[in-house]
Amino acid sequence: MRMDMQRLKIDIDGLVQGVGFRPFVAQLASRLGLTGTVGNDGRGVVIAVQGDPAVLDRFLAALQTEAPPLARIEGLQITTLPLQPEKSFVILASSGAGAKVAAIAPDAHLCNDCLAEMLDPRDRRYHYPFINCTNCGPRFSIITGIPYDRPQTTMAEFPLCPACAAEYRDPASRRYHAQPIACPACGPQLSLLSFAGIPLAGDPLAEAIALLQAGKIVAIKGLGGYHLAVDAENDEAVARLRRRKRRDEKPLALMVPSLAEAHVLAQISPAEARLLSSVERPIVLLAAKDHPTLSPGIAPRNRYLGMMLPYTPLHHLLLALGGFTALVMTSGNHSDAPIAADDAQALNELGSIADAFLLHNRRIHTRIDDSIARVLADKLLLLRRARGYVPRAVLLPVTAPPILALGGELKNTLCLTRDDRAYLSQHLGDLSNLESYAGHVAMSAHLQSLLELHPSVVAHDLHPDYQTTRLAESLPGVQRIAVQHHHAHLASCLAENGESGPALGVIFDGLGYGADGTMWGGEFLLGGLDGFRRVGYFTPTPMPGGDLATREPWRMALAYLHQAYGRDYPRLPFLQEIARRDEQLIVTMVEKGLHAPLSSSCGRLFDAVAALLGLRNRVSYEGQAAIELEMVAAIDDYPPYPFTLDNVADAIVFAPQMMIRALVADLVAGLPIAQISARFHATLVAVVSEICCRVRKETGINTIALSGGVFQNCLLTEAVIARLEKEDFIVLTHSLVPPNDGGLSLGQAAVAAARLQNPD
Ligand code: ZN
Ligand code: ZN
Ligand code: FE
């Protein structure tokens, strides 16, 4: 033992258990000639390591850069220890006791080592669709309880064969302590059933491929749910899938065999390529290329394709052996219902859609959709946070006692906090759907038990009619904290950026219940996690028919026309398909304020402009009109339309009348709608910039946070960021948490945490 040596104790927390971290540390230390121990404790991993200080530095650096793919280091504490006489580096057995608090890994893509084994005819797992190892495979979706151990997963039903058991126990094996380990002798098996649930003869995989090649619809059991698959080049099959699923126009996701194939179908930047092939394997929205063989029914009126790479061994086999350019892989559900949870439900609900079922006998304990992401301003932006990302923690800028935040109504997620960690659930859908609501309640209980958190503080939206508000009110003995919808959006953006404010939140959204009881959605909120002041908003405009105005954008178009011109509004072409009687009814509702609640929503303004331009009078899915308005916009620079900003009380109000009149004049003059849409987008950019500058002048606040569903619009968001940065603002945007209502639960949790820290 040399006296210039050093011994360090390194406490690591984060996602470091059940992901091969201890063997990795042992191998790293041995490679560098260091001695010591590594073991698990209640929070994570504890390392004692001894050697030359320069080598210890290399060890510390490599801990971060070479960690196993599923590991996430969230905190690292280093203290020095007295030197020990020792000769080697050893892995200490798990105490078992503390392993509860440590994080659970998300489901992960099949790793390259397993892929190579699966394609090797000499390997005992050749073409075995459930191959996995310490670095890959199912996790969150199969975990039934804690601690994370095989008996507490849905793999408990599959006793290990001697060969698998030996790998499981061998620290030198890639499958050391890999809980879902399996092989053809001991693990799950495939089966193929008819639409009526009758087993079909032959090899399930080969027969399923033959059906897909023949243009049939096959329901495929995956990691967190069921997909409905068809050959993406078979137009007739795609049309049949849409008809049976009653999904008229919403884009369908594609699975392509490899990155090379993806490049053939879409324009892919290096950042997008990295995202596509990341272990999380989300669906990535990519600019579509003209592709003569792909069915035009996949993403009508959309310039993007949602694409993902295979993420389970079964996907790899299907695509490789089937020789498909791409498979449509859309969630196995009826429109708006959650994805099916088990084989019986899938057969029952999807039997009228699918021609056959490719199933397996590993149960899905937690259903979880595919995540949806895009690269925006060179950064990851999650639009739907689910498989691959959940249940990874988001770090909060505040520490508080445990909080349960219930989220919003649409695109619901919930969130649990421990200290400064926020654990968001996966996307749980629209809670006005009874099944989705039941899913929310079940997920809340499951996450609380996995994380051993039983919060007595519940945060929820201010909206009195949200299911989650009623749920909060029904919970006995808890402290309830109601959070205004757009304040939660602001807080969500601040929190994921590690900020507490103050900042100016530019919140462009659909609808949320305002602090004054009206519906908000085009908001400039000045504040931080602890509170806000509404310093700007869009002119409140009637929504004739309330919720119906969301589904029928022509109503909003008429309301804006009437606002800009009064009764003498020009009768634009979009009104031709509206019965004269209905048109007059809307005018009356607007004038008399009958069932026409006022809203400052930016999303509804997008809808109105889309209808004015003749894009569509009715939508078949949320946000459709706004998305199509973005899709038709010319990419070149166009000047904004004129607009006015009024001072009302202490706030700046964007009045769109002048813009609407200029836009209508362009339309009447026959200008291309591509140009008009581009000018509309440019106007909003100018409005944002002008209001931000005015607020900065008054308050000195230079940080802008962009949130709300409208900021899923790439064109608008990139232009707003560019303009604000040119004006020397610091711009905070979303990344790991969606700007839409999927991010509300995080914002509610952050606001509640701040209020608990500083009660007033
Ligand atoms: Zn693997
Ligand atoms: Zn086995
Ligand atoms: Fe919202």
Side-chain angles (χ1 to χ4, degrees):
M1 195 163 55
R2 302 190 343 247
M3 288 321 287
D4 58 348
M5 291 211 304
Q6 217 181 0
R7 185 178 184 83
L8 303 177
K9 176 169 181 269
I10 307 165
D11 285 289
I12 300 176
D13 70 326
L15 226 166
V16 286
Q17 294 187 4
V19 293
F21 203 81
R22 284 179 302 154
F24 152 72
V25 171
Q27 276 155 23
L28 176 65
S30 305
R31 195 178 84 210
L32 296 175
L34 300 167
T35 61
T37 60
V38 58
N40 287 338
D41 78 346
R43 298 267 338 203
V45 161
V46 186
I47 303 169
V49 62
Q50 176 168 314
D52 183 86
V55 182
L56 287 173
D57 283 347
R58 277 166 56 202
F59 176 79
L60 284 169
L63 273 187
Q64 308 263 6
T65 56
E66 293 174 26
L70 299 190
R72 286 287 181 288
I73 296 177
E74 287 166 2
L76 196 148
Q77 274 192 339
I78 303 169
T79 45
T80 47
L81 293 172
L83 295 176
Q84 296 286 325
E86 63 189 0
K87 292 252 167 359
S88 63
F89 195 96
V90 292
I91 297 178
L92 303 176
S94 230
S95 65
K100 297 175 170 182
V101 180
I104 291 161
D107 300 297
H109 164 242
L110 179 72
C111 74
N112 287 333
D113 291 336
C114 286
L115 181 60
E117 277 186 12
M118 183 176 73
L119 300 177
D120 177 0
R122 292 157 308 175
D123 195 274
R124 71 188 187 93
R125 293 187 179 88
Y126 177 59
H127 282 189
Y128 180 57
F130 303 95
I131 185 171
N132 65 78
C133 74
T134 312
N135 291 333
C136 74
R139 293 288 187 281
F140 182 62
S141 63
I142 61 164
I143 291 171
T144 55
I146 48 166
Y148 172 54
D149 237 334
R150 190 173 176 98
Q152 304 267 28
T153 70
T154 60
M155 288 302 292
E157 297 147 37
F158 302 95
L160 290 179
C161 70
C164 285
E167 289 174 286
Y168 182 88
R169 282 192 306 262
D170 174 9
S173 162
R174 292 199 296 114
R175 298 194 170 86
Y176 175 61
H177 279 195
Q179 307 303 343
I181 183 174
C183 78
C186 68
Q189 302 293 336
L190 290 175
S191 58
L192 187 70
L193 307 182
S194 75
F195 70 94
I198 297 159
L200 297 174
D203 172 56
L205 182 63
E207 295 302 318
I209 288 171
L211 287 171
L212 286 168
Q213 285 168 338
K216 300 295 182 195
I217 302 171
V218 181
I220 299 172
K221 185 175 184 178
L223 203 49
Y226 299 76
H227 283 116
L228 289 162
V230 289
D231 180 354
E233 293 185 309
N234 187 327
D235 208 17
E236 192 277 324
V238 171
R240 190 154 26 86
L241 173 61
R242 279 197 183 276
R243 208 163 51 240
R244 290 195 193 164
K245 209 185 166 195
R246 283 185 230 119
R247 182 170 173 136
D248 294 339
E249 282 146 326
K250 207 167 175 177
L252 298 167
L254 297 180
M255 185 176 276
V256 291
S258 69
L259 202 50
E261 309 272 349
H263 276 289
V264 175
L265 302 178
Q267 221 67 265
I268 301 175
S269 72
E272 287 166 336
R274 280 194 300 277
L275 182 57
L276 262 177
S277 36
S278 64
V279 289
E280 294 88 357
R281 297 265 155 143
I283 296 170
V284 182
L285 302 188
L286 299 162
K289 284 183 184 167
D290 268 340
H291 193 269
T293 65
L294 218 52
S295 163
I298 287 166
R301 296 206 204 193
N302 201 308
R303 56 167 83 115
Y304 296 94
L305 283 175
M307 265 197 255
M308 59 185 150
L309 295 181
Y311 57 85
T312 69
L314 178 59
H315 295 152
H316 279 280
L317 291 172
L318 274 169
L319 283 147
L321 303 178
F324 301 102
T325 300
L327 283 178
V328 168
M329 289 285 258
T330 186
S331 330
N333 58 358
H334 281 281
S335 296
D336 296 329
I339 43 176
D342 58 39
D343 294 353
Q345 195 194 358
L347 283 162
N348 182 33
E349 290 181 3
L350 306 178
S352 58
I353 303 176
D355 298 303
F357 287 80
L358 181 59
L359 303 179
H360 58 73
N361 54 348
R362 185 181 72 208
R363 278 190 305 112
I364 297 167
H365 186 74
T366 296
R367 61 187 161 188
I368 183 164
D369 287 270
D370 295 318
S371 291
I372 303 178
R374 79 187 318 165
V375 173
L376 199 151
D378 279 329
K379 210 171 79 169
L380 162 70
L381 176 64
L382 277 182
L383 303 174
R384 181 163 82 191
R385 190 175 196 274
R387 178 185 49 75
Y389 297 91
V390 175
R392 233 179 258 158
V394 176
L395 277 180
L396 291 173
V398 275
T399 297
I403 296 162
L404 166 64
L406 298 175
E409 179 95 342
L410 299 173
K411 297 185 165 68
N412 178 268
T413 61
L414 60 90
C415 176
L416 284 161
T417 70
R418 174 192 292 119
D419 303 327
D420 61 350
R421 304 286 150 84
Y423 299 90
L424 275 86
S425 76
Q426 71 277 34
H427 165 88
L428 297 168
D430 173 358
L431 297 197
S432 65
N433 177 296
L434 274 179
E435 275 178 75
S436 301
Y437 179 74
H440 171 101
V441 172
M443 198 56 218
S444 183
H446 185 51
L447 262 188
Q448 289 183 49
S449 102
L450 287 184
L451 296 165
E452 288 200 305
L453 281 169
H454 304 286
S456 56
V457 179
V458 173
H460 63 92
D461 195 272
L462 208 54
H463 200 307
D465 296 332
Y466 274 10
Q467 298 296 332
T468 41
T469 303
R470 297 199 188 127
L471 175 62
E473 283 162 357
S474 74
L475 297 172
V478 298
Q479 179 186 352
R480 283 186 291 273
I481 297 180
V483 181
Q484 197 277 324
H485 190 102
H486 304 100
H487 185 209
H489 275 305
L490 165 61
S492 172
C493 183
L494 288 174
E496 83 151 309
N497 283 284
E499 304 271 343
S500 320
L504 176 59
V506 178
I507 316 298
F508 285 1
D509 203 23
L511 293 170
Y513 196 81
D516 59 3
T518 69
M519 298 308 280
W520 292 4
E523 309 303 314
F524 294 81
L525 305 183
L526 184 67
L529 301 183
D530 48 357
F532 74 94
R533 191 158 68 80
R534 192 188 194 200
V535 295
Y537 53 91
F538 288 18
T539 295
T541 302
M543 293 191 296
D547 283 349
L548 254 187
T550 300
R551 272 170 281 150
E552 300 187 0
W554 70 271
R555 291 167 178 254
M556 288 314 301
L558 194 49
Y560 274 100
L561 271 186
H562 187 277
Q563 190 184 61
Y565 295 91
R567 282 222 155 178
D568 298 325
Y569 59 84
R571 298 207 73 258
L572 297 171
F574 81 96
L575 287 167
Q576 277 162 14
E577 64 171 61
I578 306 297
R580 195 66 201 223
R581 209 173 32 139
D582 291 344
E583 182 185 332
Q584 267 152 6
L585 179 67
I586 296 305
V587 170
T588 311
M589 287 166 82
V590 165
E591 286 179 347
K592 303 210 162 134
L594 291 171
H595 195 33
L598 293 177
S599 140
S600 57
S601 168
C602 178
R604 289 302 85 79
L605 178 58
F606 265 88
D607 287 354
V609 172
L612 284 174
L613 298 196
L615 288 172
R616 66 173 49 254
N617 282 341
R618 291 175 178 81
V619 298
S620 63
Y621 62 90
E622 194 209 348
Q624 185 179 17
I627 290 169
E628 289 176 1
L629 184 60
E630 177 192 356
M631 294 307 143
V632 299
I635 305 291
D636 324 87
D637 273 342
Y638 283 96
Y641 286 120
F643 61 90
T644 45
L645 296 179
D646 302 333
N647 287 305
V648 179
D650 279 340
I652 307 165
V653 177
F654 164 50
Q657 291 90 327
M658 211 193 256
M659 174 190 77
I660 295 286
R661 284 196 293 265
L663 183 154
V664 168
D666 273 1
L667 195 61
V668 171
L671 264 69
I673 57 171
Q675 192 175 321
I676 301 177
S677 173
R679 291 197 70 183
F680 168 68
H681 281 82
T683 312
L684 291 183
V685 174
V687 168
V688 170
S689 156
E690 180 67 28
I691 294 182
C692 290
C693 287
R694 284 200 200 178
V695 173
R696 175 168 64 186
K697 217 172 191 178
E698 257 181 52
T699 63
I701 285 175
N702 197 42
T703 302
I704 310 293
L706 305 181
S707 191
V710 174
F711 285 112
Q712 297 173 96
N713 178 324
C714 224
L715 186 67
L716 179 74
T717 310
E718 290 187 328
V720 166
I721 294 170
R723 169 65 81 83
L724 290 177
E725 286 181 344
K726 217 172 109 196
E727 308 265 13
D728 290 323
F729 285 103
I730 295 163
V731 185
L732 305 178
T733 56
H734 282 282
S735 176
L736 285 171
V737 176
N740 59 45
D741 285 6
L744 283 178
S745 63
L746 175 70
Q748 292 167 354
V751 169
R755 290 205 191 140
L756 292 172
Q757 208 174 48
N758 296 308
D760 46 22

